Amino acid sequence: MNAPTNVDLFSGAIARLDKAFQFADIDAEALERLKHPKQILQVSVPVRMDDGSLKVFNGYRVRHDDTRGPTKGGLRYSPAVDISEVKALAFWMTFKCAVMNIPYGGAKGGICVNPKELSRMELERLSRGFIEQIADFIGPETDIPAPDMYTNAMIMGWMMDEYSKIHRRRTPGVITGKPIPLGGSQGREDATGRGAYYCIKELEKKRDWVPKNTRVAVQGFGNAGQSIAHLLHADGYQVVAVSDSRGGCYKPDGFDVPSLIQIKNESRRLQAVYCTGSVCQAIQADTITNEELLELDVDILIPAALENVITVSNADKIKAPVIIEVANGPVTGEADEILNEKEKLVVPDILANAGGVTVSYFEWVQNQQGFYWSLDEVQQKLHAMMVQEFNHVYDWMVEKKIDMRTAAYAVALSRIGAAISSLGTVQYFSDNDS
């Protein structure tokens, strides 16, 4: 399930702006600014390993745009992290925040490392060392990191603690996705999957879906994939296929999703099982590859793993009429054109997976106020925002007769463009009579 390494993610990301530009209320000068990240930082993080040796890891942090507020975005640990990927992810975060009308810009960061090869103490030293290197680049009113691929609440806690030590004051608002005892928010753990679930529930109303007759395939069974599969299963949807990095399984009449989650989290392996309490037994299911999962005849396809898994080589084989992008950038620009020609509805990543950054925003607000909300309050606020912005984008799509991704970018561009134009563009400065 590896994303192609020869794809320039950032170039592919900004290429979608020109298409949305004609439907957005934005000055061309403002559009040009959005094609260039505001700041890029690359650091080297030396780490003393458990065996006494020294290794140096490359780390990155990109702040794409802060016109609408401090930048926000995750930190990922992966051998595939490079500057193009981080720039693209920061770009997407800018638009994700604008689509949700959150007063943030976009940022992203990461370290080129395989975290599975590190001990827990090495992982802590790496995490704290990275924050030491970027401490002047981030802050509660400047740039707020969060967890992403292969980072978690404990790592965020280490980072917040290190930043606080450097600045000699407790600063929970510098990082989101922290453990709840360290200032984290209720509802953060399943926020990405839950936000996508709320999008599906809105489509259910518009398309008169009957959950028990609606088949779902989920590629990627990490936190977000598990969350959305669990929520849909609880509503009666048939989750007929799931996969992780090693492959997947398919069962035409659907899985008992809680059993899959239990065995995956206990053994770190995805197996077709049915569990009663602590006792799990194997059930009959077909073994499939990640590529085969994408091409299944299902009603809803949910790519929740990596970028660029739907490309020109397989887009024409996609049978699902609806694709919910829980992963960042799972569909390439060229594949988008094929899917649009086949009249597939793609709920784009900058909307579908925006639940995570929305609840991260809630966490930051709570940290700044020193006043914390219950789980019900967080989920109610998330539901209200997802429903409002989903329907805003959907209505633009219908009104302008465009695809949903272009509509989402047009909504975001209009909001960002209004902020940039408020500071003046060529039209203002060339008018000498005003």
Side-chain angles (χ1 to χ4, degrees), residues 116-277:
K116 297 177 182 179
E117 296 177 351
L118 303 186
S119 72
R120 292 178 180 178
M121 293 183 70
E122 289 168 342
L123 195 61
E124 181 182 10
R125 289 194 286 270
L126 175 65
S127 302
R128 290 181 179 273
F130 181 61
I131 289 300
E132 183 180 5
Q133 297 279 22
I134 70 167
D136 294 331
F137 201 72
I138 63 175
E141 286 81 35
T142 308
D143 178 26
I144 305 123
D148 197 270
M149 184 187 298
Y150 297 121
T151 56
N152 57 27
M154 180 169 283
I155 292 173
M156 296 303 106
W158 292 334
M159 290 181 169
M160 184 277 290
D161 184 61
E162 188 66 23
Y163 181 91
S164 296
K165 287 179 179 179
I166 292 168
H167 289 271
R168 303 294 186 187
R169 62 181 183 274
R170 180 173 168 76
T171 316
V174 70
I175 300 277
T176 61
K178 304 179 295 296
I180 289 176
L182 296 180
S185 175
Q186 298 281 353
R188 177 62 183 85
E189 187 173 351
D190 76 342
T192 301
R194 184 172 289 274
Y197 164 76
Y198 290 147
C199 292
I200 290 174
K201 296 302 285 184
E202 289 304 295
L203 281 176
E204 179 185 305
K205 298 174 188 175
K206 297 179 184 299
R207 299 203 165 198
D208 297 321
W209 283 337
V210 177
K212 67 178 182 179
N213 298 329
T214 308
R215 296 159 301 151
V216 182
V218 182
Q219 188 204 43
F221 211 56
N223 182 280
Q226 289 184 19
S227 295
I228 192 168
H230 185 271
L231 289 164
L232 291 173
H233 175 265
D235 274 1
Y237 283 80
Q238 292 186 57
V239 179
V240 300
V242 295
S243 67
D244 63 9
S245 58
R246 300 177 182 178
C249 45
Y250 171 65
K251 188 169 179 283
D253 57 349
F255 289 102
D256 179 63
V257 171
S259 296
L260 294 178
I261 292 173
Q262 180 177 328
I263 200 71
K264 168 70 175 179
N265 293 341
E266 287 178 355
S267 68
R268 297 188 179 182
R269 295 181 62 191
L270 183 60
Q271 295 175 282
V273 297
Y274 180 78
C275 299
T276 303

Side-chain angles (χ1 to χ4, degrees), residues 6 10 96 187 189 237 289 309 320 335 434:
N6 60 342
F10 183 66
K96 194 178 299 183
E189 187 173 351
Y237 283 80
T289 66
V309 295
S434 59

Side-chain angles (χ1 to χ4, degrees), residues 370-412:
F371 181 78
Y372 292 84
W373 308 334
S374 69
L375 178 60
D376 284 346
E377 287 179 289
V378 170
Q379 290 181 350
Q380 287 171 11
K381 293 176 189 296
L382 174 62
H383 179 259
M385 289 184 68
M386 292 300 306
V387 168
Q388 176 176 304
E389 300 309 332
F390 177 89
N391 284 296
H392 188 182
V393 172
Y394 193 93
D395 291 346
W396 265 60
M397 175 186 72
V398 173
E399 179 186 343
K400 306 291 185 181
K401 298 180 180 179
I402 53 180
D403 62 274
M404 200 167 189
R405 189 187 310 280
T406 302
Y409 273 96
V411 167

Side-chain angles (χ1 to χ4, degrees), residues 284-358:
Q284 187 66 37
D286 296 329
T287 299
I288 58 173
T289 66
N290 277 284
E291 292 73 22
E292 289 170 337
L293 181 145
L294 294 170
E295 298 169 13
L296 288 174
D297 185 10
V298 293
D299 301 296
I300 304 172
L301 174 63
I302 303 176
L306 299 176
E307 303 90 359
N308 295 333
V309 295
I310 299 178
T311 67
V312 289
S313 65
N314 64 355
D316 198 48
K317 302 173 187 175
I318 303 298
K319 299 180 181 66
V322 175
I323 299 168
I324 311 292
E325 292 187 331
V326 173
N328 287 310
V331 180
T332 67
E334 296 83 358
D336 246 345
E337 298 302 321
I338 297 171
L339 295 175
N340 291 338
E341 288 174 6
K342 297 182 68 178
E343 298 184 344
K344 308 292 187 183
L345 176 65
V346 179
V347 182
D349 48 3
I350 61 172
L351 173 62
N353 70 23
V357 70
T358 303

Side-chain angles (χ1 to χ4, degrees), residues 16-37:
R16 285 169 165 151
L17 289 185
D18 292 329
K19 182 178 180 181
F21 173 63
Q22 60 186 306
F23 302 103
D25 183 15
I26 181 174
D27 188 274
E29 190 175 277
L31 181 72
E32 179 62 23
R33 283 184 54 174
L34 292 171
K35 295 181 179 181
H36 306 276

